Amino acid sequence: MTQEKTDVRESLRESVEALATTLVLGGGDDPGWASSVETSLAAISACARKADWADGARIAGELSAALHSGGAGMLERLESGTTDLQRLLQQVGTPDERPAAPSLGQDPELISDFVVESREHLNSLEAQLLILEQDPHQADAVHSVFRSFHTIKGLAGFLELAQMQEVAHTVETLLDLARNQKLTITSAVIDVVLASADYLARWLNCLQARLDGVEMPDPAGPGALLDRVRALMESPDEAAPAAVEAQTAAPSAESNAAARVADRTVKVDTSKLDYLVDMVGELVIAQSLVRHDPDVAAKQDSRLNRNLAQMGRITDEVQKSAMSMRMVTVARLFQKMARLVRDLSRKSGKLIEFETVGEETELDRNIVEELADPLMHMVRNAVDHGIETTDERLKTDKQAAARVRLKASHQSGQILIEVSDDGRGLDTERILRKAKDKGLLPEDAQPPEGEIFNLIFQPGFSTAKSVTDVSGRGVGMDVVRKHIQKLRGRVEIQSTQGKGTTFLIKLPLTLAIIDGLVVGVGGERYIVPIYAVREMLRPAEEQITTVESRGEAVMVRDHLLPLVRLHALFGVTPRSTEPWESLLIVAEAEDRLFCVMVDELIGKQEVVIKSLGETFGNVPGIAGGAILGDGRVGLILDVTGLLSRRELAA
């Protein structure tokens, strides 16, 4: 096979896969979805003509007509035709000169989710089939069973489980006849649908066994079962005896082996899981109160101390286990970004290779959910602003295919997410010019490179020459920073013009617990999040100065930093009002450093975050509360809010 034909066939295979993925993940009411489908069909048609693949070109044309005609059953026609394309493509062969891309069906997490969801559908459809046996005219039950097989078919196709996909698709076709009143639901129909469900269940047991490390052969091929289903579609009455006779034989050895494999996955409502984590937090607080109780400490009983130490170890383990239940890997989030890059690559005409590293890194489920939008904006900007066209890259001696990379890793008790590209990099002169035109900086300003980079996070800031359907409206990057700050994280930029840009997102592992410095101001206790602390110092008197119209400031390492008096903001009487007799904490908020003045450092503590309720939930400078080891309540500081309050007061 020539290289040209190999390239055409590879493009053909990728286009069919893209169409199948779009149908599984998209929605028919979304204009963007329809556009993606049409793009894939056009690519299939063009490649099929180059490869002299008449059947493929014909099916692509029929599907395109179905897409434009719309109407009921349009989605089913598209999916059925896509299945035909996949089957025909396998029959005519695929290029073998290049190594195959990793199969999604090899991802244990995706397979595990598929097994859980498919079992739910099989359980549901069995109940609906029993209803149909009593009343064959129950349209809702027919639709429900159809949807179950339809979903399993789509997911199985996505994971390249060909036999499961074929069985589900064939039964779906049978049920579609019943939905359109072209087939009567009889006992024979119910028998063969149940037999098909049993076959799918055997596959699920096999997949689960492999996830659990148990070797199990694949179930027998579905040829006989498919013949029965097709016979019912052609002549229901004649197929009835075979269906009755099949009522399924002694259990096979493989089904007995599968029965011994325990299903260790249980779906739990997230509200129940969050409540469990909250209660474990209360347990940790209660254990801390007991351990620090003065009466308990005064007894000096060795047996009591051993029991308290044992309780502390058990409480720590329970807390770790409860928190781990909320931890999920970033793999699925990264896969969504892979799909986004693929779509944007096709839409923009840019060749892009997408790379992921560290998909197994775990984060709090709530953080992963909140991280989807910021990552989407950053990836869009990387493709639209950062990546050059193929011609531009070749002129600068770069590879024709650009690279976008997502990486997750642990770093100093935090999660580091990197979004990088090898594109044109940030143009500091252009950004600076735009900022001055918008009045964000005075004309004579010459800020350092880092501050220039951070200007792209300003609301409404964009250097795009034209608005596209991808980006360029001046929205997105300000949303990114707000989302990251909401998650108690920060975002940094590294860029070299002509070589590329990297966005670094630093996030806590969880939103339920925070490491903080417990500080005292007068008789009050406050908690400063560790991630916001740069250093602590007791300044000399000559380091304190007053800047006209901007309030007090402190000279720290040749930088003049604003001074925030915590006692003044919250109306607390301090031990001393002189900064040089107090402790200063150098904190960072929105890439700005400032000093927080407190009386003393009490210690470092991991605390469970508590909401202050609706009444006090929106106090600037306060992020929440925590019960300390001595039973007192400490307020958790929001360093960004502190800086804002200080500037308003000034």
Side-chain angles (χ1 to χ4, degrees):
M1 183 181 292
T2 66
Q3 185 62 46
E4 182 180 1
K5 288 187 176 180
T6 298
D7 291 340
V8 170
R9 297 290 292 280
E10 180 69 15
S11 299
L12 183 60
R13 182 184 64 80
E14 290 180 353
S15 299
V16 173
E17 288 180 359
L19 176 60
T21 302
T22 301
L23 294 178
V24 171
L25 300 181
D29 295 330
D30 181 4
W33 174 87
S35 176
S36 297
V37 172
E38 183 62 33
T39 299
S40 296
L41 289 173
I44 292 170
S45 180
C47 291
R49 286 194 296 271
K50 287 183 180 179
D52 296 326
W53 189 34
D55 288 339
R58 174 182 55 78
I59 294 175
E62 292 173 353
L63 296 184
S64 181
L67 177 66
H68 288 292
S69 64
M74 178 265 288
L75 183 60
E76 287 80 0
R77 290 198 296 275
L78 288 173
E79 291 176 335
S80 175
T82 302
T83 302
D84 292 339
L85 284 171
Q86 291 174 319
R87 185 167 57 249
L88 288 171
L89 196 57
Q90 290 174 353
Q91 292 174 356
V92 299
T94 54
D96 54 4
E97 287 83 357
R98 300 181 183 180
S103 168
L104 291 173
Q106 298 172 2
D107 189 316
E109 185 176 354
L110 288 177
I111 291 292
S112 179
D113 290 345
F114 168 69
V115 169
V116 173
E117 184 170 351
S118 296
R119 280 180 172 162
E120 290 181 353
H121 282 293
L122 292 181
N123 291 335
S124 171
L125 70 86
E126 284 186 3
Q128 298 299 323
L129 287 172
L130 293 177
I131 293 174
L132 284 173
E133 193 155 36
Q134 299 299 321
D135 183 3
H137 302 291
Q138 281 278 358
D140 289 342
V142 175
H143 289 306
S144 178
V145 176
F146 173 86
R147 285 193 298 270
S148 293
F149 278 99
H150 174 77
T151 301
I152 293 174
K153 180 199 74 171
L155 294 174
F158 188 63
L159 295 175
E160 301 175 8
L161 300 170
Q163 291 188 350
M164 293 189 71
Q165 180 191 22
E166 186 174 13
V167 170
H169 172 64
T170 307
V171 177
E172 176 194 43
T173 305
L174 173 73
L175 294 169
D176 190 47
L177 295 175
R179 287 200 315 163
N180 295 318
Q181 299 181 348
K182 297 179 180 178
L183 176 75
T184 302
I185 297 293
T186 63
S187 296
V189 173
I190 292 177
D191 287 341
V192 80
V193 173
L194 283 173
S196 302
D198 291 341
Y199 180 83
L200 295 177
R202 289 197 294 275
W203 260 107
L204 295 177
N205 290 336
C206 182
L207 293 173
Q208 183 64 60
R210 292 172 184 171
L211 290 174
D212 294 332
V214 178
E215 289 297 328
M216 182 179 293
D218 290 350
L225 176 63
L226 294 175
D227 289 342
R228 290 171 55 194
V229 178
R230 295 181 181 118
L232 274 175
M233 288 189 278
E234 296 173 2
S235 179
D237 294 334
E238 293 180 8
V244 173
E245 183 181 351
Q247 286 183 327
T248 349
S252 64
E254 73 175 29
S255 63
N256 286 332
R260 293 193 295 269
V261 179
D263 182 5
R264 300 183 180 91
T265 303
V266 178
K267 277 199 171 182
V268 179
D269 188 278
T270 55
S271 62
K272 293 181 181 179
L273 186 59
D274 291 339
Y275 181 74
L276 172 63
V277 173
D278 289 342
M279 289 300 100
V280 171
E282 296 290 345
L283 176 63
V284 172
I285 292 170
Q287 185 267 340
S288 181
L289 292 176
V290 173
R291 182 163 54 89
H292 291 89
D293 188 282
D295 294 335
V296 174
K299 287 189 177 182
Q300 296 296 320
D301 187 311
S302 59
R303 185 174 65 178
L304 176 61
N305 289 335
R306 285 197 305 272
N307 291 339
L308 287 174
Q310 176 69 0
M311 183 177 72
R313 286 192 292 270
I314 294 173
T315 303
D316 288 343
E317 288 301 317
V318 171
Q319 183 186 33
K320 290 177 183 177
S321 297
M323 295 308 304
S324 68
M325 293 180 187
R326 291 193 1 173
M327 305 295 279
V328 297
T329 67
V330 297
R332 298 184 71 177
L333 178 63
F334 279 15
Q335 286 163 4
K336 290 180 181 178
M337 297 305 112
R339 167 70 191 283
L340 177 64
V341 170
R342 185 171 190 168
D343 289 348
L344 293 177
S345 173
R346 291 179 178 277
K347 186 173 292 187
S348 64
K350 300 175 181 177
L351 299 176
I352 301 175
E353 295 178 354
F354 184 68
E355 178 186 2
T356 59
V357 179
E359 299 96 328
E360 71 283 354
T361 305
E362 291 188 332
L363 260 178
D364 189 300
R365 171 181 55 81
N366 295 333
I367 296 182
V368 172
E369 291 174 357
E370 292 290 337
L371 198 56
D373 281 346
L375 273 186
M376 180 189 70
H377 286 301
M378 297 172 87
V379 170
R380 282 180 177 273
N381 274 341
V383 174
D384 200 42
H385 292 305
I387 300 299
E388 313 96 329
T389 64
T390 302
D391 290 341
E392 290 173 333
R393 292 181 64 85
L394 293 176
K395 288 178 182 178
T396 56
D397 295 326
K398 288 186 176 182
Q399 294 291 331
R403 190 186 76 250
V404 175
R405 188 169 186 253
L406 268 183
K407 179 182 178 182
S409 60
H410 290 272
Q411 186 182 82
S412 303
Q414 290 185 311
I415 293 294
L416 180 65
I417 306 286
E418 300 180 32
V419 184
S420 60
D421 65 75
D422 64 347
R424 56 174 62 94
L426 295 181
D427 188 335
T428 54
E429 292 184 5
R430 189 173 177 187
I431 294 173
L432 193 59
R433 182 71 265 158
K434 185 75 172 183
K436 292 178 179 179
D437 292 343
K438 293 177 70 68
L440 298 176
L441 293 174
E443 282 295 328
D444 59 348
Q446 291 296 326
E449 186 179 64
E451 292 184 16
I452 296 176
F453 290 162
N454 288 326
L455 288 170
I456 69 172
F457 293 117
Q458 293 294 322
F461 191 92
S462 175
T463 58
K465 295 180 179 179
S466 61
V467 173
T468 70
D469 58 351
V470 176
S471 60
R473 294 179 174 83
V475 296
M477 296 312 292
D478 61 318
V479 176
V480 168
R481 185 161 69 173
K482 288 178 182 177
H483 266 81
I484 301 304
Q485 290 173 347
K486 179 183 175 183
L487 298 173
R488 303 203 311 270
R490 49 187 290 192
V491 57
E492 301 174 359
I493 304 174
Q494 299 172 354
S495 183
T496 302
Q497 192 165 349
K499 293 186 177 180
T501 302
T502 298
F503 289 87
L504 304 174
I505 305 174
K506 297 180 180 179
L507 297 162
L509 289 173
T510 176
L511 297 178
I513 296 176
I514 189 172
D515 279 329
L517 297 180
V518 183
V519 299
V521 179
E524 302 298 329
R525 300 287 183 266
Y526 299 94
I527 301 163
V528 186
I530 284 287
Y531 66 82
V533 176
R534 281 294 188 91
E535 61 179 304
M536 293 174 286
L537 71 149
R538 191 178 297 276
E541 185 173 353
E542 58 270 18
Q543 289 180 260
I544 311 300
T545 185
T546 301
V547 180
E548 184 178 356
S549 75
R550 299 187 64 181
E552 292 179 290
V554 186
M555 183 64 71
V556 180
R557 304 186 188 281
D558 299 325
H559 288 84
L560 201 59
L561 306 181
L563 176 63
V564 175
R565 291 176 175 259
L566 209 57
H567 67 270
L569 288 183
F570 296 127
V572 178
T573 302
R575 296 179 187 175
S576 173
T577 59
E578 304 297 347
W580 51 90
E581 296 176 356
S582 304
L583 181 68
L584 299 186
I585 297 176
V586 180
E588 182 177 13
E590 296 184 347
D591 301 307
R592 296 176 58 191
L593 297 178
F594 65 102
C595 294
V596 180
M597 176 177 158
V598 301
D599 288 339
E600 61 176 334
L601 172 65
I602 297 174
K604 175 181 175 294
Q605 186 172 340
E606 186 181 77
V607 297
V608 179
I609 301 173
K610 294 290 183 183
S611 171
L612 298 179
E614 295 182 2
T615 305
F616 302 102
N618 295 313
V619 177
I622 300 297
I627 300 177
L628 304 178
D630 58 3
R632 300 179 62 177
V633 174
L635 294 178
I636 301 172
L637 299 179
D638 170 20
V639 292
T640 303
L642 287 181
L643 187 59
S644 299
R645 285 188 65 163
R646 187 257 185 195
E647 292 176 342
L648 288 174

